[in-house]
């Protein structure tokens, strides 16, 4: 135990000595709007509101199933865990799907969406609701640019935004890109393929080019995270990160005497000396 505390002290010391690589500038960008931009919009933002449901959608913030999206999940966990201590990640090794949960954050997200019953139900029989982004929910330029930053981080490349079966996000992006002076904004919907793809191409204005540059920088920073060094416990929830490169993502130690097996957030990692449990 003394060795563990010594190592923790070293982690904290080095976290102040070396600058973080992947950083979110809260002075320039709105964290919540940024999160909404990153959220999965496949058939809308899916939610179920049945208390105590065993459904994987209940109190879920987001699902990450694309290649490399686990890094975004870890980044989001680090971005919000100080304000939302009930936040946690799950990882299914068989499917490669990472999911982010938080009862309080998921309720906060609801203010951005208009929910309607979906045609399908969960395995448990709960009604699934599909959310569309509320019109004019982003009022300031800071909120709008933060939303676009989140969208481009997860769905953008080479001046293109590519979504699948988007219920509202694609249309909101088109409106905002035009509002911020982008030229030749084209919105193409390919209905003949499954899933239906929605492609947005545009020539960025100076403001949007800054967003693209910031998203590209964040993306490259996140690529430096070696997810092979992250080990999830058998329950797929608690994880230990044996990452050797410095990162902003907090290091979590699974303390068996913590209530509900909750992780203890230690802080950024600069080295990895902890022994295997």
């Amino acid at each position: 135990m003394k060795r563990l505390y010594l190592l923790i002290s070293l982690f904290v010391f080095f976290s102040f000595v070396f600058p973080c690589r992947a950083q979110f500038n809260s002075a320039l960008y709105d964290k919540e709007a940024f999160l909404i931009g990153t959220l999965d919009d496949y058939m809308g933002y899916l939610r179920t509101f049945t208390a105590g449901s065993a459904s994987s959608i209940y109190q879920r913030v987001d699902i990450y199933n694309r290649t490399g999206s686990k890094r975004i999940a870890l980044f989001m966990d680090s971005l919000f865990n100080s304000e939302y201590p009930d936040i946690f990640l799950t990882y299914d090794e068989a499917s490669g799907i990472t999911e982010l949960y938080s009862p309080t954050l998921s309720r906060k997200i609801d203010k951005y969406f208009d929910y309607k019953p979906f045609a399908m139900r969960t395995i448990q029989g709960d009604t699934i609701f599909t959310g569309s982004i509320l019109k004019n929910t982003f009022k300031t330029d800071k909120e709008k640019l933060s939303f676009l930053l989140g969208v481009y981080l997860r769905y953008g490349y080479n001046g293109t935004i590519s979504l699948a079966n988007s219920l509202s996000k694609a249309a909101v992006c088109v409106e905002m890109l035009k509002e911020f002076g982008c030229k030749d904004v084209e919105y193409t919907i390919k209905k003949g393929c499954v899933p239906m793809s929605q492609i947005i191409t545009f020539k960025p204005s100076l403001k949007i080019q800054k967003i693209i540059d910031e998203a590209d920088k964040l993306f490259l920073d996140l690529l430096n995270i070696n997810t092979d060094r992250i080990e999830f416990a058998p329950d797929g929830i608690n994880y230990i990160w044996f990452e050797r490169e410095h990162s902003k993502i907090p290091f979590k130690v699974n303390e068996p005497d913590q209530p509900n097996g909750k992780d203890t957030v230690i802080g950024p990692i600069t080295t990895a000396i902890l022994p295997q449990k």
Side-chain angles (χ1 to χ4, degrees), residues 106-135:
S106 63
R107 288 195 296 271
K108 194 72 173 289
I109 289 171
D110 289 341
K111 72 178 183 180
Y112 294 93
F113 291 93
D114 175 34
Y115 291 105
K116 294 181 180 179
F118 193 45
M120 300 174 64
R121 289 178 175 266
T122 66
I123 296 175
Q124 294 77 17
D126 301 321
T127 300
I128 298 175
F129 291 83
T130 182
S132 299
I133 298 173
L134 286 166
K135 189 174 179 61

PDB file of all heavy atoms in Angstrom, residues 106-135:
ATOM      1  N   SER A 106     -26.781  12.417 -18.328  1.00  0.00           N
ATOM      2  CA  SER A 106     -27.784  12.053 -19.328  1.00  0.00           C
ATOM      3  C   SER A 106     -29.042  12.911 -19.177  1.00  0.00           C
ATOM      4  O   SER A 106     -29.672  13.287 -20.169  1.00  0.00           O
ATOM      5  CB  SER A 106     -28.142  10.563 -19.222  1.00  0.00           C
ATOM      6  OG  SER A 106     -28.726  10.267 -17.967  1.00  0.00           O
ATOM      7  N   ARG A 107     -29.393  13.245 -17.935  1.00  0.00           N
ATOM      8  CA  ARG A 107     -30.548  14.138 -17.729  1.00  0.00           C
ATOM      9  C   ARG A 107     -30.243  15.560 -18.207  1.00  0.00           C
ATOM     10  O   ARG A 107     -31.119  16.252 -18.726  1.00  0.00           O
ATOM     11  CB  ARG A 107     -30.949  14.149 -16.252  1.00  0.00           C
ATOM     12  CG  ARG A 107     -31.615  12.861 -15.786  1.00  0.00           C
ATOM     13  CD  ARG A 107     -32.308  13.049 -14.449  1.00  0.00           C
ATOM     14  NE  ARG A 107     -31.384  13.369 -13.373  1.00  0.00           N
ATOM     15  CZ  ARG A 107     -30.780  12.450 -12.619  1.00  0.00           C
ATOM     16  NH1 ARG A 107     -31.001  11.159 -12.820  1.00  0.00           N
ATOM     17  NH2 ARG A 107     -29.953  12.819 -11.653  1.00  0.00           N
ATOM     18  N   LYS A 108     -28.987  15.975 -18.043  1.00  0.00           N
ATOM     19  CA  LYS A 108     -28.586  17.312 -18.501  1.00  0.00           C
ATOM     20  C   LYS A 108     -28.674  17.404 -20.022  1.00  0.00           C
ATOM     21  O   LYS A 108     -29.075  18.432 -20.585  1.00  0.00           O
ATOM     22  CB  LYS A 108     -27.163  17.587 -18.024  1.00  0.00           C
ATOM     23  CG  LYS A 108     -26.712  19.030 -18.127  1.00  0.00           C
ATOM     24  CD  LYS A 108     -27.404  19.903 -17.092  1.00  0.00           C
ATOM     25  CE  LYS A 108     -26.845  21.303 -17.053  1.00  0.00           C
ATOM     26  NZ  LYS A 108     -25.480  21.372 -16.485  1.00  0.00           N
ATOM     27  N   ILE A 109     -28.323  16.318 -20.684  1.00  0.00           N
ATOM     28  CA  ILE A 109     -28.353  16.279 -22.141  1.00  0.00           C
ATOM     29  C   ILE A 109     -29.777  16.426 -22.677  1.00  0.00           C
ATOM     30  O   ILE A 109     -29.992  16.978 -23.764  1.00  0.00           O
ATOM     31  CB  ILE A 109     -27.715  14.961 -22.635  1.00  0.00           C
ATOM     32  CG1 ILE A 109     -26.199  14.984 -22.393  1.00  0.00           C
ATOM     33  CG2 ILE A 109     -28.004  14.717 -24.107  1.00  0.00           C
ATOM     34  CD1 ILE A 109     -25.520  13.653 -22.642  1.00  0.00           C
ATOM     35  N   ASP A 110     -30.753  15.959 -21.913  1.00  0.00           N
ATOM     36  CA  ASP A 110     -32.139  15.939 -22.390  1.00  0.00           C
ATOM     37  C   ASP A 110     -32.670  17.314 -22.792  1.00  0.00           C
ATOM     38  O   ASP A 110     -33.560  17.416 -23.636  1.00  0.00           O
ATOM     39  CB  ASP A 110     -33.063  15.338 -21.317  1.00  0.00           C
ATOM     40  CG  ASP A 110     -32.850  13.845 -21.151  1.00  0.00           C
ATOM     41  OD1 ASP A 110     -32.286  13.225 -22.069  1.00  0.00           O
ATOM     42  OD2 ASP A 110     -33.230  13.309 -20.091  1.00  0.00           O
ATOM     43  N   LYS A 111     -32.114  18.368 -22.226  1.00  0.00           N
ATOM     44  CA  LYS A 111     -32.610  19.712 -22.539  1.00  0.00           C
ATOM     45  C   LYS A 111     -32.312  20.117 -23.982  1.00  0.00           C
ATOM     46  O   LYS A 111     -32.890  21.075 -24.496  1.00  0.00           O
ATOM     47  CB  LYS A 111     -32.021  20.742 -21.572  1.00  0.00           C
ATOM     48  CG  LYS A 111     -30.547  21.033 -21.793  1.00  0.00           C
ATOM     49  CD  LYS A 111     -30.024  22.101 -20.831  1.00  0.00           C
ATOM     50  CE  LYS A 111     -28.567  22.449 -21.108  1.00  0.00           C
ATOM     51  NZ  LYS A 111     -28.046  23.478 -20.178  1.00  0.00           N
ATOM     52  N   TYR A 112     -31.420  19.366 -24.639  1.00  0.00           N
ATOM     53  CA  TYR A 112     -31.045  19.682 -26.018  1.00  0.00           C
ATOM     54  C   TYR A 112     -31.904  18.953 -27.051  1.00  0.00           C
ATOM     55  O   TYR A 112     -31.773  19.217 -28.248  1.00  0.00           O
ATOM     56  CB  TYR A 112     -29.582  19.322 -26.262  1.00  0.00           C
ATOM     57  CG  TYR A 112     -28.608  20.151 -25.477  1.00  0.00           C
ATOM     58  CD1 TYR A 112     -28.137  19.731 -24.231  1.00  0.00           C
ATOM     59  CD2 TYR A 112     -28.127  21.370 -25.976  1.00  0.00           C
ATOM     60  CE1 TYR A 112     -27.223  20.488 -23.501  1.00  0.00           C
ATOM     61  CE2 TYR A 112     -27.222  22.132 -25.258  1.00  0.00           C
ATOM     62  CZ  TYR A 112     -26.777  21.689 -24.017  1.00  0.00           C
ATOM     63  OH  TYR A 112     -25.880  22.456 -23.305  1.00  0.00           O
ATOM     64  N   PHE A 113     -32.772  18.042 -26.603  1.00  0.00           N
ATOM     65  CA  PHE A 113     -33.469  17.172 -27.549  1.00  0.00           C
ATOM     66  C   PHE A 113     -34.988  17.198 -27.391  1.00  0.00           C
ATOM     67  O   PHE A 113     -35.517  17.407 -26.292  1.00  0.00           O
ATOM     68  CB  PHE A 113     -32.992  15.725 -27.386  1.00  0.00           C
ATOM     69  CG  PHE A 113     -31.573  15.501 -27.842  1.00  0.00           C
ATOM     70  CD1 PHE A 113     -30.523  15.586 -26.936  1.00  0.00           C
ATOM     71  CD2 PHE A 113     -31.286  15.231 -29.165  1.00  0.00           C
ATOM     72  CE1 PHE A 113     -29.209  15.387 -27.352  1.00  0.00           C
ATOM     73  CE2 PHE A 113     -29.986  15.033 -29.586  1.00  0.00           C
ATOM     74  CZ  PHE A 113     -28.944  15.111 -28.686  1.00  0.00           C
ATOM     75  N   ASP A 114     -35.651  16.950 -28.501  1.00  0.00           N
ATOM     76  CA  ASP A 114     -37.091  16.720 -28.539  1.00  0.00           C
ATOM     77  C   ASP A 114     -37.275  15.225 -28.767  1.00  0.00           C
ATOM     78  O   ASP A 114     -36.842  14.687 -29.794  1.00  0.00           O
ATOM     79  CB  ASP A 114     -37.728  17.519 -29.674  1.00  0.00           C
ATOM     80  CG  ASP A 114     -39.208  17.224 -29.820  1.00  0.00           C
ATOM     81  OD1 ASP A 114     -39.879  16.982 -28.794  1.00  0.00           O
ATOM     82  OD2 ASP A 114     -39.709  17.216 -30.978  1.00  0.00           O
ATOM     83  N   TYR A 115     -37.901  14.540 -27.811  1.00  0.00           N
ATOM     84  CA  TYR A 115     -38.018  13.086 -27.875  1.00  0.00           C
ATOM     85  C   TYR A 115     -39.395  12.640 -28.366  1.00  0.00           C
ATOM     86  O   TYR A 115     -40.420  13.198 -27.971  1.00  0.00           O
ATOM     87  CB  TYR A 115     -37.760  12.475 -26.495  1.00  0.00           C
ATOM     88  CG  TYR A 115     -36.343  12.583 -26.024  1.00  0.00           C
ATOM     89  CD1 TYR A 115     -35.975  13.503 -25.033  1.00  0.00           C
ATOM     90  CD2 TYR A 115     -35.343  11.780 -26.569  1.00  0.00           C
ATOM     91  CE1 TYR A 115     -34.663  13.609 -24.600  1.00  0.00           C
ATOM     92  CE2 TYR A 115     -34.024  11.883 -26.142  1.00  0.00           C
ATOM     93  CZ  TYR A 115     -33.689  12.791 -25.164  1.00  0.00           C
ATOM     94  OH  TYR A 115     -32.401  12.894 -24.741  1.00  0.00           O
ATOM     95  N   LYS A 116     -39.376  11.615 -29.206  1.00  0.00           N
ATOM     96  CA  LYS A 116     -40.608  10.979 -29.673  1.00  0.00           C
ATOM     97  C   LYS A 116     -40.438   9.468 -29.599  1.00  0.00           C
ATOM     98  O   LYS A 116     -39.326   8.957 -29.769  1.00  0.00           O
ATOM     99  CB  LYS A 116     -40.910  11.406 -31.113  1.00  0.00           C
ATOM    100  CG  LYS A 116     -41.241  12.885 -31.253  1.00  0.00           C
ATOM    101  CD  LYS A 116     -41.563  13.250 -32.688  1.00  0.00           C
ATOM    102  CE  LYS A 116     -41.889  14.739 -32.806  1.00  0.00           C
ATOM    103  NZ  LYS A 116     -42.178  15.127 -34.205  1.00  0.00           N
ATOM    104  N   PRO A 117     -41.538   8.738 -29.335  1.00  0.00           N
ATOM    105  CA  PRO A 117     -41.430   7.275 -29.252  1.00  0.00           C
ATOM    106  C   PRO A 117     -40.915   6.681 -30.552  1.00  0.00           C
ATOM    107  O   PRO A 117     -41.295   7.102 -31.644  1.00  0.00           O
ATOM    108  CB  PRO A 117     -42.876   6.833 -28.977  1.00  0.00           C
ATOM    109  CG  PRO A 117     -43.541   8.033 -28.391  1.00  0.00           C
ATOM    110  CD  PRO A 117     -42.910   9.211 -29.050  1.00  0.00           C
ATOM    111  N   PHE A 118     -40.037   5.701 -30.411  1.00  0.00           N
ATOM    112  CA  PHE A 118     -39.444   5.019 -31.556  1.00  0.00           C
ATOM    113  C   PHE A 118     -40.296   3.800 -31.892  1.00  0.00           C
ATOM    114  O   PHE A 118     -41.107   3.349 -31.089  1.00  0.00           O
ATOM    115  CB  PHE A 118     -38.007   4.610 -31.188  1.00  0.00           C
ATOM    116  CG  PHE A 118     -37.165   4.188 -32.347  1.00  0.00           C
ATOM    117  CD1 PHE A 118     -37.156   4.909 -33.523  1.00  0.00           C
ATOM    118  CD2 PHE A 118     -36.344   3.064 -32.246  1.00  0.00           C
ATOM    119  CE1 PHE A 118     -36.355   4.522 -34.586  1.00  0.00           C
ATOM    120  CE2 PHE A 118     -35.539   2.674 -33.297  1.00  0.00           C
ATOM    121  CZ  PHE A 118     -35.545   3.404 -34.470  1.00  0.00           C
ATOM    122  N   ALA A 119     -40.090   3.255 -33.087  1.00  0.00           N
ATOM    123  CA  ALA A 119     -40.900   2.109 -33.525  1.00  0.00           C
ATOM    124  C   ALA A 119     -40.506   0.816 -32.832  1.00  0.00           C
ATOM    125  O   ALA A 119     -41.242  -0.171 -32.893  1.00  0.00           O
ATOM    126  CB  ALA A 119     -40.771   1.945 -35.033  1.00  0.00           C
ATOM    127  N   MET A 120     -39.357   0.809 -32.146  1.00  0.00           N
ATOM    128  CA  MET A 120     -38.869  -0.416 -31.519  1.00  0.00           C
ATOM    129  C   MET A 120     -38.851  -0.275 -30.000  1.00  0.00           C
ATOM    130  O   MET A 120     -38.912   0.832 -29.468  1.00  0.00           O
ATOM    131  CB  MET A 120     -37.464  -0.741 -32.032  1.00  0.00           C
ATOM    132  CG  MET A 120     -37.378  -0.950 -33.531  1.00  0.00           C
ATOM    133  SD  MET A 120     -35.673  -1.170 -34.110  1.00  0.00           S
ATOM    134  CE  MET A 120     -35.242  -2.701 -33.278  1.00  0.00           C
ATOM    135  N   ARG A 121     -38.774  -1.430 -29.332  1.00  0.00           N
ATOM    136  CA  ARG A 121     -38.656  -1.463 -27.881  1.00  0.00           C
ATOM    137  C   ARG A 121     -37.369  -2.197 -27.497  1.00  0.00           C
ATOM    138  O   ARG A 121     -36.786  -2.910 -28.303  1.00  0.00           O
ATOM    139  CB  ARG A 121     -39.864  -2.160 -27.233  1.00  0.00           C
ATOM    140  CG  ARG A 121     -41.145  -1.351 -27.314  1.00  0.00           C
ATOM    141  CD  ARG A 121     -42.313  -2.120 -26.700  1.00  0.00           C
ATOM    142  NE  ARG A 121     -43.528  -1.307 -26.670  1.00  0.00           N
ATOM    143  CZ  ARG A 121     -43.903  -0.586 -25.626  1.00  0.00           C
ATOM    144  NH1 ARG A 121     -43.165  -0.589 -24.519  1.00  0.00           N
ATOM    145  NH2 ARG A 121     -44.996   0.126 -25.665  1.00  0.00           N
ATOM    146  N   THR A 122     -36.963  -2.023 -26.246  1.00  0.00           N
ATOM    147  CA  THR A 122     -35.805  -2.758 -25.755  1.00  0.00           C
ATOM    148  C   THR A 122     -36.188  -4.215 -25.520  1.00  0.00           C
ATOM    149  O   THR A 122     -37.371  -4.575 -25.529  1.00  0.00           O
ATOM    150  CB  THR A 122     -35.295  -2.164 -24.431  1.00  0.00           C
ATOM    151  OG1 THR A 122     -36.292  -2.371 -23.420  1.00  0.00           O
ATOM    152  CG2 THR A 122     -35.020  -0.674 -24.570  1.00  0.00           C
ATOM    153  N   ILE A 123     -35.184  -5.054 -25.303  1.00  0.00           N
ATOM    154  CA  ILE A 123     -35.441  -6.462 -24.989  1.00  0.00           C
ATOM    155  C   ILE A 123     -36.301  -6.579 -23.743  1.00  0.00           C
ATOM    156  O   ILE A 123     -37.115  -7.495 -23.598  1.00  0.00           O
ATOM    157  CB  ILE A 123     -34.103  -7.208 -24.796  1.00  0.00           C
ATOM    158  CG1 ILE A 123     -33.314  -7.209 -26.109  1.00  0.00           C
ATOM    159  CG2 ILE A 123     -34.328  -8.625 -24.296  1.00  0.00           C
ATOM    160  CD1 ILE A 123     -31.929  -7.811 -25.995  1.00  0.00           C
ATOM    161  N   GLN A 124     -36.134  -5.614 -22.832  1.00  0.00           N
ATOM    162  CA  GLN A 124     -36.908  -5.624 -21.585  1.00  0.00           C
ATOM    163  C   GLN A 124     -38.336  -5.107 -21.785  1.00  0.00           C
ATOM    164  O   GLN A 124     -39.132  -5.095 -20.854  1.00  0.00           O
ATOM    165  CB  GLN A 124     -36.204  -4.756 -20.532  1.00  0.00           C
ATOM    166  CG  GLN A 124     -34.854  -5.280 -20.076  1.00  0.00           C
ATOM    167  CD  GLN A 124     -33.745  -5.019 -21.085  1.00  0.00           C
ATOM    168  OE1 GLN A 124     -33.883  -4.187 -21.978  1.00  0.00           O
ATOM    169  NE2 GLN A 124     -32.642  -5.741 -20.953  1.00  0.00           N
ATOM    170  N   GLY A 125     -38.657  -4.655 -23.006  1.00  0.00           N
ATOM    171  CA  GLY A 125     -40.001  -4.173 -23.295  1.00  0.00           C
ATOM    172  C   GLY A 125     -40.197  -2.686 -23.057  1.00  0.00           C
ATOM    173  O   GLY A 125     -41.324  -2.181 -23.132  1.00  0.00           O
ATOM    174  N   ASP A 126     -39.124  -1.946 -22.775  1.00  0.00           N
ATOM    175  CA  ASP A 126     -39.242  -0.510 -22.529  1.00  0.00           C
ATOM    176  C   ASP A 126     -39.373   0.258 -23.842  1.00  0.00           C
ATOM    177  O   ASP A 126     -38.757  -0.098 -24.855  1.00  0.00           O
ATOM    178  CB  ASP A 126     -38.008   0.007 -21.776  1.00  0.00           C
ATOM    179  CG  ASP A 126     -37.822  -0.702 -20.445  1.00  0.00           C
ATOM    180  OD1 ASP A 126     -38.840  -0.956 -19.779  1.00  0.00           O
ATOM    181  OD2 ASP A 126     -36.665  -0.995 -20.083  1.00  0.00           O
ATOM    182  N   THR A 127     -40.140   1.319 -23.811  1.00  0.00           N
ATOM    183  CA  THR A 127     -40.264   2.186 -24.974  1.00  0.00           C
ATOM    184  C   THR A 127     -38.960   2.930 -25.221  1.00  0.00           C
ATOM    185  O   THR A 127     -38.381   3.502 -24.300  1.00  0.00           O
ATOM    186  CB  THR A 127     -41.402   3.210 -24.778  1.00  0.00           C
ATOM    187  OG1 THR A 127     -42.627   2.503 -24.582  1.00  0.00           O
ATOM    188  CG2 THR A 127     -41.542   4.125 -25.990  1.00  0.00           C
ATOM    189  N   ILE A 128     -38.504   2.899 -26.451  1.00  0.00           N
ATOM    190  CA  ILE A 128     -37.316   3.662 -26.840  1.00  0.00           C
ATOM    191  C   ILE A 128     -37.775   4.986 -27.426  1.00  0.00           C
ATOM    192  O   ILE A 128     -38.704   5.036 -28.234  1.00  0.00           O
ATOM    193  CB  ILE A 128     -36.466   2.901 -27.872  1.00  0.00           C
ATOM    194  CG1 ILE A 128     -35.962   1.582 -27.280  1.00  0.00           C
ATOM    195  CG2 ILE A 128     -35.288   3.758 -28.341  1.00  0.00           C
ATOM    196  CD1 ILE A 128     -35.207   0.716 -28.270  1.00  0.00           C
ATOM    197  N   PHE A 129     -37.130   6.057 -27.004  1.00  0.00           N
ATOM    198  CA  PHE A 129     -37.426   7.378 -27.546  1.00  0.00           C
ATOM    199  C   PHE A 129     -36.241   7.830 -28.386  1.00  0.00           C
ATOM    200  O   PHE A 129     -35.086   7.589 -28.033  1.00  0.00           O
ATOM    201  CB  PHE A 129     -37.682   8.379 -26.420  1.00  0.00           C
ATOM    202  CG  PHE A 129     -38.959   8.126 -25.672  1.00  0.00           C
ATOM    203  CD1 PHE A 129     -38.994   7.187 -24.643  1.00  0.00           C
ATOM    204  CD2 PHE A 129     -40.121   8.800 -25.999  1.00  0.00           C
ATOM    205  CE1 PHE A 129     -40.170   6.938 -23.960  1.00  0.00           C
ATOM    206  CE2 PHE A 129     -41.304   8.559 -25.314  1.00  0.00           C
ATOM    207  CZ  PHE A 129     -41.326   7.620 -24.291  1.00  0.00           C
ATOM    208  N   THR A 130     -36.551   8.467 -29.500  1.00  0.00           N
ATOM    209  CA  THR A 130     -35.505   8.978 -30.365  1.00  0.00           C
ATOM    210  C   THR A 130     -35.516  10.505 -30.325  1.00  0.00           C
ATOM    211  O   THR A 130     -36.572  11.131 -30.451  1.00  0.00           O
ATOM    212  CB  THR A 130     -35.672   8.458 -31.810  1.00  0.00           C
ATOM    213  OG1 THR A 130     -34.609   8.948 -32.619  1.00  0.00           O
ATOM    214  CG2 THR A 130     -36.994   8.870 -32.406  1.00  0.00           C
ATOM    215  N   GLY A 131     -34.353  11.091 -30.098  1.00  0.00           N
ATOM    216  CA  GLY A 131     -34.264  12.526 -29.894  1.00  0.00           C
ATOM    217  C   GLY A 131     -33.737  13.274 -31.106  1.00  0.00           C
ATOM    218  O   GLY A 131     -32.774  12.843 -31.745  1.00  0.00           O
ATOM    219  N   SER A 132     -34.382  14.378 -31.420  1.00  0.00           N
ATOM    220  CA  SER A 132     -33.902  15.306 -32.448  1.00  0.00           C
ATOM    221  C   SER A 132     -33.430  16.573 -31.745  1.00  0.00           C
ATOM    222  O   SER A 132     -34.058  17.020 -30.777  1.00  0.00           O
ATOM    223  CB  SER A 132     -35.023  15.657 -33.433  1.00  0.00           C
ATOM    224  OG  SER A 132     -35.493  14.513 -34.097  1.00  0.00           O
ATOM    225  N   ILE A 133     -32.345  17.154 -32.230  1.00  0.00           N
ATOM    226  CA  ILE A 133     -31.812  18.369 -31.616  1.00  0.00           C
ATOM    227  C   ILE A 133     -32.841  19.487 -31.742  1.00  0.00           C
ATOM    228  O   ILE A 133     -33.374  19.744 -32.825  1.00  0.00           O
ATOM    229  CB  ILE A 133     -30.492  18.783 -32.275  1.00  0.00           C
ATOM    230  CG1 ILE A 133     -29.440  17.687 -32.064  1.00  0.00           C
ATOM    231  CG2 ILE A 133     -29.993  20.111 -31.707  1.00  0.00           C
ATOM    232  CD1 ILE A 133     -28.151  17.923 -32.824  1.00  0.00           C
ATOM    233  N   LEU A 134     -33.142  20.130 -30.624  1.00  0.00           N
ATOM    234  CA  LEU A 134     -34.132  21.198 -30.608  1.00  0.00           C
ATOM    235  C   LEU A 134     -33.663  22.385 -31.447  1.00  0.00           C
ATOM    236  O   LEU A 134     -32.485  22.745 -31.445  1.00  0.00           O
ATOM    237  CB  LEU A 134     -34.387  21.657 -29.166  1.00  0.00           C
ATOM    238  CG  LEU A 134     -35.210  20.714 -28.298  1.00  0.00           C
ATOM    239  CD1 LEU A 134     -35.096  21.119 -26.838  1.00  0.00           C
ATOM    240  CD2 LEU A 134     -36.678  20.724 -28.736  1.00  0.00           C
ATOM    241  N   LYS A 135     -34.570  22.976 -32.159  1.00  0.00           N
ATOM    242  CA  LYS A 135     -34.258  24.134 -32.979  1.00  0.00           C
ATOM    243  C   LYS A 135     -33.842  25.298 -32.087  1.00  0.00           C
ATOM    244  O   LYS A 135     -34.446  25.536 -31.048  1.00  0.00           O
ATOM    245  CB  LYS A 135     -35.481  24.521 -33.816  1.00  0.00           C
ATOM    246  CG  LYS A 135     -35.200  25.589 -34.878  1.00  0.00           C
ATOM    247  CD  LYS A 135     -36.426  25.808 -35.741  1.00  0.00           C
ATOM    248  CE  LYS A 135     -36.174  26.895 -36.790  1.00  0.00           C
ATOM    249  NZ  LYS A 135     -35.082  26.551 -37.712  1.00  0.00           N
TER     250      LYS A 135
END
